[in-house]
Amino acid sequence: MSSTTTSPSLDLDGLRQRNVPQNAKTNSQAREAVRGLNAEEMLSDKTPREQRTFGRTPDGIVFTVPQTHDMVSQLLSPTQPKNLSDLLVVATLGLHILALYALPQSLRRPVFAMVYLLWRAAYNAGIGYLLHIQSNHKRLVMWAKKWRLFTNPDKELNPRPWLYKFTKRELETKIPKDYRFEDAPIEYNTWLIFRRIVDLILMCDFVSYCLFAVACGGRPEHELAFVTTCRWAIGLGLVGFNLWVKLDAHRVVKDYAWYWGDFFYLVDQELTFDGVFEMAPHPMYSVGYAGYYGISLMAASYKVLFISIVAHAAQFAFLVWVENPHIEKTYNALPSRKQPHSESDIQVPEDHHPGGPSDSPVPSLASTSQPSPVHNLLGFSNIDCYRVTDTSVILLQAYLFTLTIITPDDTFYQLLFVLNAFVWRLWYSIGVGYVLNRQSVKKKWTRHFLKFGESTEEAWRQWKGMYHLTMSMTYASFIAASWKLYTPPADWSQDMALLKHVMGAALVSLHVWTSVSIYQSLGEFGWFYGDFFFDHASKLTYGGIHRFLNNPERVLGLAGLWAAVLFTGSSAIFATALSSHVLSLAFIQFVERPHMQKLYGQSLRRDSGLVKSLKRSLPPALRQWQGSMDKMFGETVDFVEEFVDAARPKIAAGVSILVKDSTSLFKQPARISITRLEPDLAGYDPKDYSLEVVTSANGTPNSFHYGSSIRVKWTAPLNHSKRDWVGLYRAADNASREATRVSSAGRWVPTNREQYESLTADRGNVSYDERVSGSTRKDGESQDFMSGIAEFSGDKLWWTTGVFEFRYHHNGKHNVMAISRPFEIRIDKFDEEDVEVDSNGLIKGAVEEALLPLVRDCFDRNPDIAPSTVWESYGKLVERDGKYSKRVVYAVTQMFGIEFAPEVVQADGSVKNLAWRICNAKQVLAPYSMASSRGRNTPTNSKFEE
C-alpha cells in the first residue's frame, strides 16, 4: 500500500524512515493510514522483532510506536537498560523483603496483610480511577499539559526545566530505538509515565502477596506426606498454568494492551486472539488468577485463601467498572445510520396500514420471525406483579420457603422435600423437553394456540410463562431440600468444613455468572428457545461465553448443584444433584442438539474454543486416541438416538398454563448531597453579578419547551474567579439564596473554559470574559464588567416539567452570587378538538406533527439518532442508551396522557409507528377517560424522570 493510496496529505515515507509524526486532517484519515501501515508491516518479510507498529492519537497524529518490553524483563533482565525509576522499584521490593525478616513473628501476618491490601487498593481503586478519568475526560493528558511536563524549556516557558530534563533522560534511557522525547505525542509520553506508576504498584502488589503467603505458610499438624505432596504438586501446577496464561496473553496483546495503552492512543491492526483467549473470557483476570489459589494451597492457609478471593473479586470489579465501559466505547462503536432518501426506502411491516380502518392502526412489535422485544420476563428489574407468571412464581416460592421453615427437620419431611425437588427436575428436563421436541418436529405448541384463533406471539408468551415457572420452581425446590438437609458444622476446623463452604460459595458464584453470561449472549429469545417457535434466518454466531464453550450449561451452568452437595454433605442431595446433571445432559443431547443440527446444519461448530486449545496442546499420540474415543462416543449417541426415535410414538404428554401480560414502571429515588459554604468571598459583591435567561424560540424568557436548549447570559466583575460556574436547579429545591445545598448532578457550565479537568465541563460554554463598557450598565455604576453566555442542552437539562432557575457560583464552590428569574419547562397538552382529521376520520397526521419536534428534542437533535421525518428510523444509539426512550415516554405521558414502557419506543423505531400506537391506545382507553370527549386526557400520575 503506497502512501498516495492511503493518505495523500500524509508524508508516510517520512514517518517510516525518519519517525516524524504526521498530522491527519480527520480521525478517519488517521485510522486508515495506521491500518494500512500496520498491514504493510505484517505482510513484509521482517521478523516480528523488526516489524514496526504505528499508532494514532485522538487528535489524528500518526506516529511510530517504539518497541517496549514487559514489566519483569525491563526491571530484572541485565540486557535491558536501567534508569532511576527501575532502581526505585527494585529498592522498594527489597524493603518489603527486608521487612519480612525484620518484623517479629507476631507482626508479620497483620502487617503484610495490611501492606498487600494497600497495594491492591492502589491497583484496583487507584489505577482504576486514573484510567476512568483518562477514558472519560483525558485528564491525565490534561494534567501533563497543565504542569507543562513535556514542554521544552528552550522553546517555551516551563517553570520546572529540571523536571523536563529528568523525565527526558528517564524515558529515552528505557527506549533507545525509534523514540525521541521531543517528537513523541503528548499522549504517548503520558502513557510512558503512567507505565512507571503501574510497574511500581503491580510489582509491589505481587511481591507483598507472596510475602504474606510466606508469613502465613506452614504444614498443618498430622498432615500425611502424601497429602503434602499432592498439595504442593497441585499448587505448583496452578502457578505454572498462571505463568503460561500471563505469557500467552502478553504474546497476543503485547505491552500496548497490557499497560492499557488504548486509554491514551490507538493502534489499528488485526490481532488473532488465539491461545489463552480461546479458553476463557478475560483470561488475565479470570483463569489468570489461578496462581493465587495455587499459592494458597501451598501455604495451607485460609488467611491466604480469603485474601486471594478478595483480590480476585476486586479485579473483577476493576474489569466491570473500568475496562468494560472503555472497551464498549472504543471498540463497539455504533454503525452510522443509513439515511433514507424517500419514504419508499422505509420498510413498513405487513400489518401497518396507514390508510386502513381505525380499529387497527397500531403496528405490531412481533412478527413471524421475531417475538416482541419488550416486556421481558427474566431479571429483578423485569418483575411485573400485574403479570400472572410473575405473581405465580412469587407466591409459589413464598409458599414453598414458608413450608421449609415451619415444618420440622425430621426424616419424613426431608424425604418429602427431596422427592419434591426430584419431581420438579423430572418435569423440567423430561416434560419440558418433550414439549420442545414436539414443537421442533410438528410445531405442536404453536398449533394448539392457532387452533383457537390466537397468534404465534400468544403461544410464545404462554410458553415463556410455563418455562419460567418450571425453571424457578425446579431451583427453588432444590434449594428448599438442601436447606432441610443442611446442618451447620459444630467445629469449622474439622473435616475441611470451612474449605467446603468456601468452595461451595465459589461454585454458586460460578453458576450465577454462567447463567448471566448465557443470558447476555442469547438474550430473552435464546434463553427461552425462541428458534423452536419463530422461523428466522439460520445464521449462527458464537459470541460471549459461547465463544469459549459450546454448551456452558453442560458443566458450569450446574455448578450450584454441586455446591449444595458440599454444603450439606448429604447422600440424598448428592443423588439429586447427580440425577439433575444427567437429566440436563440428556436434555442437551436429545432435545437441543437435534434441533440445532436441523436448523443450522454445517454451520454448527463441533469443537469449542476451549476444546481447540486443549487439543492443540496434546501430544500426537493422545490426539489420535482422543479421535478414536470421539468416534466411539458418536456411534453410541447415534444408537441411543435411534432407539429414542423408535420409542417416541409411545410417549404422550401435554401441559398448558395461562398467563396474562401488563406493564409496570419503577421509580428511581433522587440523591441529595449537602455542601459547605466557602468563606473566601472577601472583595466580591453579589450586586456586581447577574444572570439573564435568553429569550426562547417562542419569544418569552420565562417559558421553554421540553428538551429545547436554554441559554443564560451572565455578567461578573473584571476580577471574578475563572472557576466560577452556573448551575441549573429546580426553583423549590434550594431554601437558601446564599448557598446551594443540592448537587448539580452534572447540570452546570463553567464561566471560563479549560478551568476544570473534564471534557464535558466546557460543553455549553458559548462565550466568556467579553469585556463590556460600564456605560451600558443600568444599576448606576460605571465600572466595566465581564460577560458570557452558557448554553444548557442534552444531559445538562432537567428532563421533566416544572419551574427552574439558574445560579451563579463563586470559585468552584457553592456560594451563590446571582440567581436568575424563574422560568418554566413545559409540554403542551395535545387537544384533539383543535386538530383536523384525515379522510379516514383519524388524527394520526396531527399526532405525527406534534410528536416529531418533541422526539427530536428528546434525542438532543443529534443528526446521528434524531429523525428528520416521521418515517425515518431512529439511530442505533437509542437502543443502547435507554435515557432517550425514557425522555420520550415522559413527554408522551404529559402530552397525550398515554403510558408506554421505554422498550416500546425503542421497538417502534420511528415517529410514525409511535404515532400509530398512541392513536390506538387513546381509542382503546376512550371509554375509561375522565375527559369530556374522545378520551383526550387519560388520568395518570406516573413520572419518567431520569
Side-chain angles (χ1 to χ4, degrees):
M1 183 179 298
S2 66
S3 59
T4 57
T5 59
T6 305
S7 296
S9 62
L10 296 179
D11 181 15
L12 299 187
D13 289 333
L15 181 61
R16 292 187 188 97
Q17 299 171 9
R18 299 184 299 276
N19 296 327
V20 179
Q22 303 293 316
N23 285 302
K25 293 182 179 180
T26 63
N27 272 328
S28 59
Q29 186 188 49
R31 185 188 306 112
E32 292 303 319
V34 171
R35 186 177 288 117
L37 289 168
N38 286 324
E40 283 184 4
E41 292 293 314
M42 293 292 292
L43 296 175
S44 66
D45 297 332
K46 300 178 182 177
T47 64
R49 286 183 173 273
E50 295 173 341
Q51 291 177 359
R52 290 182 176 181
T53 302
F54 298 89
R56 61 183 174 91
T57 69
D59 297 333
I61 299 177
V62 180
F63 67 102
T64 303
V65 180
Q67 185 181 25
T68 54
H69 300 279
D70 63 271
M71 183 188 309
V72 178
S73 297
Q74 66 181 3
L75 283 176
L76 304 179
S77 174
T79 61
Q80 297 295 326
K82 301 294 183 291
N83 59 13
L84 185 59
S85 59
D86 291 330
L87 298 178
L88 175 63
V89 174
V90 173
T92 305
L93 299 180
L95 290 175
H96 282 70
I97 298 173
L98 290 176
L100 177 68
Y101 294 98
L103 286 171
Q105 186 72 28
S106 59
L107 294 179
R108 289 179 181 177
R109 294 180 181 179
V111 168
F112 273 94
M114 185 62 65
V115 169
Y116 172 68
L117 290 176
L118 287 174
W119 283 117
R120 175 54 54 166
Y123 180 6
N124 295 133
I127 294 178
Y129 172 74
L130 292 178
L131 289 175
H132 174 76
I133 61 177
Q134 172 63 21
S135 174
N136 292 285
H137 308 294
K138 301 291 184 266
R139 193 163 294 175
L140 298 187
V141 176
M142 288 185 175
W143 285 347
K145 292 179 180 178
K146 179 180 178 181
W147 296 337
R148 296 180 176 271
L149 192 60
F150 307 116
T151 301
N152 191 338
D154 296 334
K155 297 181 179 179
E156 298 182 45
L157 178 64
N158 188 332
R160 290 172 289 273
W162 61 270
L163 183 59
Y164 172 85
K165 295 177 181 178
F166 173 78
T167 306
K168 181 179 185 302
R169 183 173 62 253
E170 288 288 299
L171 297 184
E172 289 186 343
T173 300
K174 295 298 295 182
I175 312 175
K177 183 181 178 182
D178 292 340
Y179 176 71
R180 289 190 66 217
F181 182 76
E182 300 89 344
D183 295 337
I186 188 172
E187 289 83 0
Y188 184 77
N189 283 337
T190 305
W191 177 67
L192 292 179
I193 299 295
F194 174 75
R195 276 184 55 137
R196 307 311 293 161
I197 299 173
V198 171
D199 286 341
L200 174 65
I201 293 176
L202 264 62
M203 290 299 294
C204 290
D205 171 82
F206 179 71
V207 170
S208 60
Y209 171 82
C210 293
L211 294 177
F212 175 72
V214 171
C216 296
R219 181 180 179 184
E221 295 183 6
H222 312 298
E223 184 181 66
L224 298 177
F226 174 76
V227 176
T228 303
T229 303
C230 291
R231 182 163 54 80
W232 274 83
I234 296 173
L236 289 173
L238 289 174
V239 171
F241 173 73
N242 195 149
L243 180 62
W244 173 80
V245 168
K246 298 292 187 181
L247 292 176
D248 197 58
H250 188 272
R251 173 188 63 83
V252 176
V253 301
K254 301 182 174 58
D255 275 7
Y256 168 67
W258 189 277
Y259 285 99
W260 303 283
D262 54 4
F263 283 73
F264 298 83
Y265 62 96
L266 292 174
V267 174
D268 301 289
Q269 62 182 358
E270 295 296 330
L271 293 179
T272 302
F273 287 93
D274 57 358
V276 69
F277 285 93
E278 290 182 323
M279 296 182 62
H282 305 288
M284 290 188 291
Y285 296 163
S286 53
V287 294
Y289 270 68
Y292 271 43
Y293 301 104
I295 293 174
S296 303
L297 196 59
M298 290 187 289
S301 170
Y302 283 112
K303 297 181 179 67
V304 180
L305 176 61
F306 289 143
I307 211 168
S308 300
I309 294 174
V310 170
H312 205 171
Q315 196 64 31
F316 276 124
F318 176 87
L319 172 67
V320 171
W321 290 327
V322 179
E323 286 206 20
N324 280 350
H326 180 78
I327 292 172
E328 184 74 15
K329 177 175 64 176
T330 305
Y331 298 106
N332 295 332
L334 291 168
S336 57
R337 181 176 55 174
K338 181 181 178 181
Q339 298 291 344
H341 299 289
S342 66
E343 190 166 358
S344 61
D345 295 336
I346 304 298
Q347 294 183 354
V348 182
E350 296 176 358
D351 52 353
H352 289 194
H353 304 289
S358 60
D359 59 349
S360 61
V362 62
S364 173
L365 296 179
S367 66
T368 57
S369 62
Q370 193 74 16
S372 170
V374 303
H375 213 185
N376 289 338
L377 201 57
L378 287 183
F380 291 108
S381 61
N382 290 320
I383 292 177
D384 185 353
C385 291
Y386 287 88
R387 187 163 46 193
V388 68
T389 302
D390 294 358
T391 306
S392 301
V393 169
I394 293 172
L395 292 177
L396 284 173
Q397 290 188 357
Y399 177 71
L400 177 63
F401 291 133
T402 301
L403 286 179
T404 306
I405 295 173
I406 65 175
T407 54
D409 295 335
D410 55 28
T411 305
F412 171 76
Y413 282 101
Q414 288 177 344
L415 178 61
L416 188 63
F417 275 86
V418 171
L419 287 176
N420 179 60
F422 183 70
V423 170
W424 274 109
R425 174 58 67 172
L426 283 176
W427 167 244
Y428 182 52
S429 298
I430 298 178
V432 171
Y434 177 76
V435 173
L436 280 177
N437 176 266
R438 293 297 86 196
Q439 174 67 15
S440 174
V441 176
K442 297 183 178 180
K443 298 292 183 184
K444 188 172 182 178
W445 183 275
T446 302
R447 288 176 183 271
H448 172 80
F449 289 90
L450 294 178
K451 180 175 67 175
F452 294 97
E454 294 174 329
S455 64
T456 304
E457 176 73 10
E458 177 62 18
W460 167 250
R461 282 198 295 264
Q462 299 293 353
W463 156 254
K464 282 173 56 178
M466 189 271 285
Y467 182 83
H468 182 60
L469 178 64
T470 302
M471 179 186 65
S472 301
M473 291 306 299
T474 298
Y475 282 99
S477 61
F478 183 81
I479 293 172
S482 301
W483 179 268
K484 272 295 179 185
L485 292 166
Y486 174 74
T487 302
D491 186 356
W492 288 85
S493 62
Q494 297 295 323
D495 299 325
M496 295 188 294
L498 184 57
L499 180 61
K500 290 179 180 178
H501 281 72
V502 171
M503 293 180 64
L507 289 175
V508 170
S509 301
L510 181 62
H511 188 139
V512 173
W513 173 80
T514 302
S515 299
V516 172
S517 299
I518 292 173
Y519 182 75
Q520 290 175 343
S521 175
L522 300 179
E524 194 101 351
F525 182 85
W527 182 274
F528 288 104
Y529 304 95
D531 50 11
F532 282 73
F533 296 85
F534 292 91
D535 298 324
H536 64 291
S538 299
K539 182 180 180 181
L540 184 63
T541 57
Y542 291 93
I545 193 174
H546 291 89
R547 178 170 177 258
F548 314 98
L549 299 169
N550 285 346
N551 295 106
E553 65 273 20
R554 189 189 297 267
V555 178
L556 303 184
L558 299 169
L561 303 180
W562 300 104
V565 175
L566 291 176
F567 288 146
T568 62
S570 167
S571 57
I573 295 299
F574 173 81
T576 307
L578 180 61
S579 59
S580 299
H581 208 141
V582 172
L583 288 170
S584 297
L585 294 177
F587 179 89
I588 294 172
Q589 189 67 33
F590 300 119
V591 179
E592 285 192 32
R593 185 167 173 262
H595 181 77
M596 296 284 285
Q597 288 178 335
K598 179 179 71 174
L599 195 63
Y600 299 108
Q602 296 298 323
S603 62
L604 197 64
R605 185 176 64 178
R606 180 178 179 84
D607 293 330
S608 65
L610 176 61
V611 172
K612 290 179 181 178
S613 298
L614 294 177
K615 282 185 177 181
R616 282 197 297 263
S617 63
L618 291 176
L622 285 179
R623 292 185 196 175
Q624 184 178 2
W625 177 82
Q626 190 262 346
S628 301
M629 293 298 295
D630 285 346
K631 181 179 179 181
M632 182 181 67
F633 180 74
E635 293 175 351
T636 304
V637 169
D638 291 339
F639 170 78
V640 174
E641 286 181 348
E642 291 175 1
F643 175 80
V644 172
D645 288 337
R648 276 174 182 166
K650 302 178 181 179
I651 302 174
V655 66
S656 64
I657 300 173
L658 299 178
V659 296
K660 298 179 181 178
D661 289 323
S662 183
T663 56
S664 178
L665 302 169
F666 297 90
K667 300 178 181 178
Q668 298 290 339
R671 294 186 297 174
I672 296 179
S673 61
I674 305 301
T675 57
R676 298 188 306 172
L677 276 173
E678 170 63 30
D680 184 20
L681 291 174
Y684 296 97
D685 189 352
K687 294 181 180 179
D688 295 331
Y689 296 80
S690 71
L691 286 173
E692 180 183 356
V693 181
V694 180
T695 303
S696 64
N698 59 0
T700 171
N702 55 10
S703 181
F704 293 85
H705 289 295
Y706 176 83
S708 60
S709 60
I710 306 173
R711 289 193 173 191
V712 58
K713 182 178 181 180
W714 57 266
T715 61
L718 298 179
N719 64 337
H720 79 97
S721 172
K722 303 302 181 184
R723 291 177 58 83
D724 290 353
W725 58 281
V726 180
L728 175 62
Y729 300 89
R730 295 177 190 263
D733 280 352
N734 290 284
S736 172
R737 299 185 66 84
E738 287 76 28
T740 298
R741 302 187 181 279
V742 178
S743 171
S744 65
R747 303 178 184 95
W748 65 281
V749 175
T751 58
N752 292 67
R753 296 174 189 166
E754 299 181 357
Q755 298 300 313
Y756 292 89
E757 293 150 352
S758 170
L759 290 178
T760 59
D762 291 342
R763 294 174 186 170
N765 191 303
V766 179
S767 62
Y768 65 99
D769 277 2
E770 295 179 351
R771 186 161 182 152
V772 182
S773 172
S775 61
T776 61
R777 298 183 63 157
K778 300 178 181 179
D779 57 359
E781 299 292 336
S782 59
Q783 294 90 349
D784 292 354
F785 59 92
M786 293 294 188
S787 177
I789 295 178
E791 183 178 61
F792 288 74
S793 61
D795 291 333
K796 296 193 176 186
L797 289 173
W798 282 86
W799 289 95
T800 183
T801 55
V803 179
F804 301 87
E805 64 185 11
F806 289 108
R807 290 182 162 225
Y808 187 109
H809 301 87
H810 170 69
N811 194 28
K813 302 299 188 291
H814 287 77
N815 297 93
V816 178
M817 309 304 290
I819 301 178
S820 72
R821 290 179 178 272
F823 58 92
E824 180 187 17
I825 294 179
R826 74 181 196 279
I827 299 176
D828 295 331
K829 299 292 184 181
F830 182 80
D831 192 346
E832 300 174 29
E833 297 179 349
D834 295 335
V835 299
E836 297 181 0
V837 298
D838 57 19
S839 58
N840 295 307
L842 300 177
I843 59 172
K844 181 174 63 66
V847 173
E848 293 173 354
E849 184 179 350
L851 200 57
L852 179 60
L854 188 67
V855 171
R856 286 179 54 79
D857 284 338
C858 290
F859 292 172
D860 299 336
R861 295 191 172 267
N862 183 346
D864 292 332
I865 60 174
S868 57
T869 62
V870 296
W871 39 265
E872 186 177 11
S873 61
Y874 306 149
K876 292 295 183 181
L877 184 60
V878 177
E879 298 178 8
R880 177 178 293 183
D881 195 337
K883 69 181 181 183
Y884 297 106
S885 56
K886 291 179 181 178
R887 296 173 183 176
V888 175
V889 164
Y890 177 82
V892 169
T893 305
Q894 299 299 314
M895 176 176 282
F896 299 98
I898 303 295
E899 296 182 11
F900 291 127
E903 294 82 1
V904 172
V905 176
Q906 297 173 353
D908 277 337
S910 69
V911 173
K912 179 176 284 292
N913 289 351
L914 184 59
W916 279 331
R917 193 169 302 282
I918 290 172
C919 292
N920 182 75
K922 290 187 73 68
Q923 196 167 29
V924 171
L925 295 174
Y928 310 102
S929 175
M930 301 290 290
S932 58
S933 66
R934 290 191 289 181
R936 181 172 70 247
N937 298 312
T938 302
T940 177
N941 292 320
S942 297
K943 294 181 179 178
F944 294 80
E945 297 181 13
E946 290 187 66

